[in-house]
Amino acid sequence: MSLNVYISNDNKVFHMTNGTISYIMGVLPNGHLGQLYYGTGIQNPQDFQETVEILPRPMTSCPIENEWFSLEHVHQEYPVYGNSDFRQPALAIRHPDGSTVSDFKVCGFDLFDGKPHLEGLPAVYTESGDEAKTLTIHLADEKKQLELDLFYSMFKEGGILTRSASLTNRGEKPVAIETMMSLSVDLPDSDYQWLQFSGAWGRERELKIRSLEQGITSIGSRRGHSSHNHNPFVIIKRPYTNEDDGEAIGFSLVYSGNFLIQAETDTYNNLRIVAGIHPDGFEWKLNPGQTFQTPECVSVYTQKGLNSLSQTYHKLYQKRLTRGYWRDRPRPILNNNWEATAFDFNEDRLIEIAKTAQNCGCELFVLDDGWFGARRNDKAGLGDWKANRDLLPNGIEGLCRRMNEMGMEFGLWFEPEMVNKDSDFYRSHPDWILEVPDRPGCHGRNQYVLDFTRKEVIDAIYDQMTEILDKAPLAYIKWDMNRSITEAYSRALPADQQGEVFHRYILGVYSLYERLIQRYPKILFESCASGGGRFDPGMLYYAPQAWCSDDSDGAERIRIQYGTSYGYPISSIGAHVSEIPNQQVYRNVPLHTRANVACFGTFGYELDLGNLSAQELDQVKSQVQFMKEYRNLLQFGTFYRLKSPFENNISAWMVVSDDRTQAIVGWYRTLSHVNQPFEHLKLKGLDPKMRYTIETVGKHKYTNRHPYGDELMHFGLITSDGLSGQVMENDKYYGDFDSRLFIINAESVQ
Ligand code: GLA
């Protein structure tokens, strides 16, 4: 079915549908915009407005004289504060007279093909007009001369609906926006489970599930970045919904700053979801003639379970959020020196590490923290983006040249938003950090946050970066951000605009990214915030990949990457093999498992390969070779979660090519137990009618059978040791933290 927007003759009902989903809105008796239906695609009803039920109920406040209509008891699209609804509003405004009551009535609409660009903000995009349709509903609070536009873009494919809102002040005095969410949707029942992806530094995006009860369930960040603690992504699903089947809706905020995603179940079991900039610490002064645009929220609706929901996000974020040269390209296999050397290196040492990496087939060497200014530990140097000539006598340019000459691309670490007080940059501009004057501010890892609300500050960092990038042909930049923001006060803003600091800060970060990617379109950016502290869709618009976590242990990474996969594509997941004992958890996960986990990501090595034995180096060479052969499939294929590490000792996932002729299954066992039951792992996404061959990576031959896809999906792949035996690595058997990769090929492509 095609993408359509039906508008009733009286312009009161708006029905967006692409066949898969329908989203229906209608004008309510008081002129506000109501939500009528959000779910599986339905035919266009002529009289849907008559489904709005109105009952006299006790303790009800009614905006229309002699009528029992109350906003409290209807489903709304963008509820405002101060009228007859007592739930969380999407919009709260303080007017010049101090009142906080608003009244926005529908006054028109626009419909166009494609999707608008959001100035200064990351957003999903279309490449041609027929990929999506955008309906803008215009509302006005006439008395206050305010105009509100609600943007709805529905995509032709999948259950995707993007939303955002803008407010324009046509009056003569400024107003204060106290809350302005990207999305609000009221659903008719709350029989859902709420899935959030939460944790902390080193254990990001763990799946946590709770059921919704009357009251509020929410996650958010007030840290100035989306955070390790909560990812700006929530799924609500029916209790029966599993990976393969059932209703679920995802809400993913394309934003990297403070956020709130909240579910409110009211007395009558209605559910209101709101998502957007966190109202705490936010206030925006909207001057006459100005417009405020919210970030975008991307909802995905499915009846086909969580794998289908994730796959929709993967494809959308891979193809229509990520941009530029690297969007469709498999990612270079890199060697990063951070866990190899930390701050202890010089040019020759780096070249030595890079040589071994290159010998193993790696393509890119990344120099991490410590190459600039007086940075010999984390107490000094941030802000001085000039090579430390004691360590790098030939500068970045010279080091880059040596790397390039030996056939390695070269990449560099920056932390553009931060400064140490012990730096020339800070000494020249002590007033360029966020802090409340005359009040000592907090440091985080000995560093302070530059005032990115100010263009001159961003310009000064940009100039330093371009000075390096114009001279050295870098292939990659790791953009780090290693502390949360406190004392969010800018010396450059007046008292009544201090509530804008957090949002202006992140807009400043986006603007610097945009300038750099426009000027150096071929540089691959990887975002990072002490690992995965800013792993969000906003960042993916600028940096196609993100360092997933500072916890690089192979076993921990299974959970982190599995959790991340609910909302983010494999091509975005920065994952490396690191040394053992692991520097975070001191665990000894075998080399094959470390690689078998990292290959479901961007893949690379975070260690000095020169410390490995000859046998291990051979193994690394085969891993790199394997990755080169299969990275396109691994990073861009259709990804399925098969068995969750949050529930099982054994976990598994797989990717399948678009034509279903090739698949790779990753199987991982945490602890080995004796005398275990036999296991069949049911695969997904294969062609039931194709016959497949199965190989394991490494020496072991799995089976000579050529099962059909239907057998592999319904009987399953035998993974127990009874048939497959155990894979040996370097003449050793592994029990704990063992893993296998199965390569599955349709017979004809053999
Ligand atoms: C952060 C990053 C690490 C590394 C260090 C360097 O912790 O997440 O990968 O770059 O900073 O200081």
Side-chain angles (χ1 to χ4, degrees):
M1 216 170 122
S2 60
L3 181 58
N4 261 312
V5 179
Y6 300 101
I7 295 164
S8 62
N9 293 338
D10 59 0
N11 289 343
K12 286 199 162 167
V13 179
F14 307 90
H15 176 190
M16 305 185 81
T17 183
N18 60 6
T20 307
I21 57 168
S22 280
Y23 197 87
I24 309 182
M25 297 170 275
V27 180
L28 295 170
N30 70 338
H32 289 198
L33 187 62
Q35 154 59 227
L36 303 182
Y37 176 77
Y38 182 17
T40 300
I42 56 175
Q43 290 172 52
N44 187 44
Q46 300 303 316
D47 48 5
F48 211 74
Q49 215 157 5
E50 288 169 28
T51 61
V52 178
E53 293 172 274
I54 296 168
L55 254 193
R57 292 192 194 266
M59 291 303 288
T60 293
S61 311
C62 308
I64 307 171
E65 225 169 311
N66 299 323
E67 282 191 30
W68 273 108
F69 169 78
S70 167
L71 289 169
E72 187 181 0
H73 304 305
V74 288
H75 301 144
Q76 296 172 71
E77 270 302 305
Y78 206 70
V80 291
Y81 179 77
N83 207 305
S84 55
D85 184 4
F86 301 96
R87 292 167 290 178
Q88 168 76 36
L91 182 63
I93 298 168
R94 207 173 59 250
H95 300 286
D97 60 3
S99 70
T100 49
V101 180
S102 300
D103 187 22
F104 285 92
K105 293 187 166 40
V106 176
C107 58
F109 66 90
D110 272 315
L111 184 60
F112 58 92
D113 290 339
K115 185 171 179 296
H117 169 73
L118 302 186
E119 195 54 42
L121 281 167
V124 161
Y125 58 90
T126 49
E127 285 200 332
S128 67
D130 65 350
E131 288 179 10
K133 276 193 196 302
T134 299
L135 172 67
T136 308
I137 309 240
H138 306 296
L139 299 100
D141 185 336
E142 274 183 17
K143 289 233 162 68
K144 303 290 182 192
Q145 294 173 286
L146 293 170
E147 291 172 6
L148 173 66
D149 282 346
L150 303 181
F151 303 101
Y152 298 84
S153 301
M154 186 173 281
F155 278 69
K156 195 168 67 180
E157 306 282 338
I160 305 161
L161 183 72
T162 69
R163 291 191 47 187
S164 71
S166 76
L167 185 73
T168 303
N169 184 357
R170 301 275 177 224
E172 274 156 21
K173 290 185 179 158
V175 298
I177 306 173
E178 295 178 333
T179 297
M180 189 162 175
M181 305 308 279
S182 302
L183 163 145
S184 174
V185 61
D186 287 351
L187 300 170
D189 75 86
S190 61
D191 190 17
Y192 292 96
Q193 289 175 328
W194 160 281
L195 279 60
Q196 64 187 58
F197 303 89
S198 301
W201 174 88
R203 50 182 170 85
E204 297 91 337
R205 292 173 297 288
E206 300 207 337
L207 169 63
K208 313 226 183 241
I209 306 183
R210 33 184 169 153
S211 52
L212 299 175
E213 299 294 341
Q214 184 177 343
I216 282 177
T217 301
S218 79
I219 55 155
S221 167
R222 298 185 189 86
R223 310 178 74 100
H225 56 114
S226 48
S227 88
H228 306 83
N229 311 57
H230 295 293
N231 197 262
F233 176 49
V234 157
I235 301 172
I236 56 168
K237 73 168 190 72
R238 296 298 182 184
Y240 58 80
T241 299
N242 58 28
E243 287 287 7
D244 306 319
D245 197 26
E247 189 181 23
I249 315 176
F251 300 95
S252 168
L253 194 64
V254 188
Y255 190 57
S256 313
N258 287 350
F259 77 93
L260 174 72
I261 304 183
Q262 179 172 298
E264 183 170 359
T265 300
D266 75 7
T267 333
Y268 303 100
N269 210 26
N270 297 299
L271 179 64
R272 171 167 298 169
I273 303 282
V274 293
I277 295 176
H278 205 307
D280 289 0
F282 170 83
E283 182 171 292
W284 194 271
K285 182 179 177 187
L286 193 66
N287 283 313
Q290 287 182 342
T291 297
F292 181 80
Q293 169 67 52
T294 71
E296 175 167 282
C297 186
V298 178
S299 316
V300 170
Y301 178 93
T302 187
Q303 283 282 3
K304 294 186 184 153
L306 298 177
N307 267 319
S308 143
L309 181 124
S310 298
Q311 286 159 5
T312 305
Y313 277 112
H314 293 175
K315 197 161 167 219
L316 182 72
Y317 285 177
Q318 216 160 40
K319 299 294 177 194
R320 294 293 179 266
L321 177 61
T322 301
R323 296 174 292 166
Y325 181 81
W326 285 102
R327 185 184 77 176
D328 304 325
R329 288 186 160 78
R331 305 300 157 70
I333 297 171
L334 64 79
N335 184 197
N336 177 305
N337 75 310
W338 178 244
E339 290 198 21
T341 66
F343 294 108
D344 187 16
F345 60 81
N346 59 30
E347 184 177 307
D348 288 338
R349 176 88 181 94
L350 296 172
I351 293 289
E352 185 191 329
I353 299 174
K355 268 197 183 135
T356 319
Q358 205 238 346
N359 225 349
C360 292
C362 292
E363 300 154 314
L364 165 69
F365 184 82
V366 177
L367 171 54
D368 210 279
D369 194 354
W371 56 268
F372 48 89
R375 185 99 166 153
R376 297 316 303 132
N377 52 47
D378 62 16
K379 292 202 168 62
L382 285 175
D384 295 339
W385 301 107
K386 282 190 189 63
N388 178 329
R389 294 278 169 166
D390 294 339
L391 308 174
L392 308 173
N394 303 303
I396 290 300
E397 210 186 326
L399 177 59
C400 183
R401 193 178 321 114
R402 280 182 79 182
M403 291 285 174
N404 292 167
E405 276 166 10
M406 63 191 238
M408 280 291 248
E409 298 282 6
F410 182 61
L412 202 56
W413 181 96
F414 284 94
E415 193 172 358
E417 300 153 64
M418 299 290 159
V419 76
N420 288 112
K421 287 200 171 169
D422 185 0
S423 67
D424 292 341
F425 193 81
Y426 177 79
R427 281 183 283 271
S428 320
H429 304 287
D431 57 339
W432 277 8
I433 59 173
L434 292 177
E435 69 176 351
V436 180
D438 305 325
R439 198 174 272 270
C442 301
H443 75 91
R445 206 195 187 198
N446 305 303
Q447 63 196 50
Y448 294 82
V449 184
L450 284 173
D451 185 351
F452 263 41
T453 72
R454 298 169 69 169
K455 180 150 184 316
E456 67 273 27
V457 178
I458 298 172
D459 286 348
I461 296 296
Y462 175 76
D463 290 345
Q464 288 196 63
M465 291 178 82
T466 53
E467 176 77 24
I468 290 179
L469 303 179
D470 283 349
K471 291 193 187 128
L474 296 195
Y476 164 106
I477 287 178
K478 177 173 173 187
W479 178 319
D480 211 339
M481 201 290 270
N482 281 308
R483 63 158 294 186
S484 300
I485 301 177
T486 53
E487 294 85 30
Y489 184 94
S490 168
R491 286 182 172 85
L493 287 171
D496 60 353
Q497 286 185 265
Q498 292 298 330
E500 300 174 15
V501 169
F502 276 118
H503 184 56
R504 283 186 185 274
Y505 176 88
I506 207 72
L507 293 179
V509 172
Y510 291 151
S511 75
L512 181 57
Y513 257 116
E514 189 66 36
R515 284 161 81 180
L516 291 169
I517 62 174
Q518 292 304 337
R519 184 159 168 159
Y520 309 101
K522 286 202 174 162
I523 293 184
L524 171 61
F525 280 82
E526 176 153 348
S527 74
C528 176
S530 280
R534 211 159 56 181
F535 200 124
D536 58 61
M539 280 292 123
L540 290 184
Y541 188 64
Y542 306 94
Q545 57 192 59
W547 182 229
C548 194
S549 175
D550 273 348
D551 187 347
S552 62
D553 171 72
E556 303 283 306
R557 271 303 188 103
I558 298 170
R559 292 164 68 87
I560 297 169
Q561 291 175 213
Y562 203 93
T564 306
S565 81
Y566 282 88
Y568 304 94
I570 299 305
S571 57
S572 70
I573 299 180
H576 302 163
V577 173
S578 63
E579 68 178 11
I580 51 169
N582 176 267
Q583 293 184 10
Q584 294 79 37
V585 294
Y586 312 106
R587 185 180 286 137
N588 293 310
V589 170
L591 184 54
H592 71 271
T593 295
R594 281 175 275 153
N596 290 349
V597 178
C599 71
F600 283 84
T602 58
F603 200 75
Y605 293 86
E606 185 98 7
L607 75 166
D608 179 357
L609 291 165
N611 293 337
L612 301 190
S613 68
Q615 227 176 9
E616 286 171 324
L617 279 181
D618 282 345
Q619 212 183 332
V620 168
K621 283 179 192 156
S622 343
Q623 290 168 354
V624 171
Q625 212 182 343
F626 164 81
M627 194 61 198
K628 284 183 180 164
E629 191 175 344
Y630 292 104
R631 62 184 152 183
N632 200 28
L633 170 61
L634 287 159
Q635 292 168 357
F636 296 96
T638 305
F639 179 83
Y640 291 85
R641 288 176 298 271
L642 301 179
K643 228 171 170 217
S644 170
F646 297 107
E647 291 161 13
N648 305 292
N649 184 44
I650 285 172
S651 50
W653 53 40
M654 71 185 286
V655 285
V656 185
S657 64
D658 287 349
D659 62 4
R660 302 195 280 180
T661 59
Q662 211 169 40
I664 297 181
V665 179
W667 173 96
Y668 310 90
R669 175 167 61 205
T670 310
L671 295 183
S672 170
H673 298 293
V674 77
N675 198 16
Q676 288 297 291
F678 295 134
E679 287 166 33
H680 303 177
L681 179 66
K682 290 183 180 161
L683 305 189
K684 292 176 187 170
L686 299 174
D687 185 332
K689 296 206 169 83
M690 277 189 202
R691 283 187 91 169
Y692 293 93
T693 59
I694 304 160
E695 282 174 81
T696 53
V697 177
K699 295 176 200 155
H700 191 81
K701 184 82 191 151
Y702 173 73
T703 172
N704 288 325
R705 292 189 61 242
H706 293 187
Y708 281 98
D710 55 2
E711 176 190 318
L712 290 170
M713 293 192 289
H714 303 300
F715 172 82
L717 177 74
I718 295 179
T719 52
S720 31
D721 298 339
L723 190 69
S724 64
Q726 273 201 283
V727 188
M728 282 177 99
E729 179 182 305
N730 298 328
D731 301 328
K732 274 193 251 165
Y733 283 117
Y734 284 90
D736 294 347
F737 314 117
D738 193 10
S739 69
R740 280 163 222 173
L741 291 185
F742 298 91
I743 305 178
I744 301 195
N745 272 307
E747 257 188 337
S748 53
V749 300
Q750 271 284 286

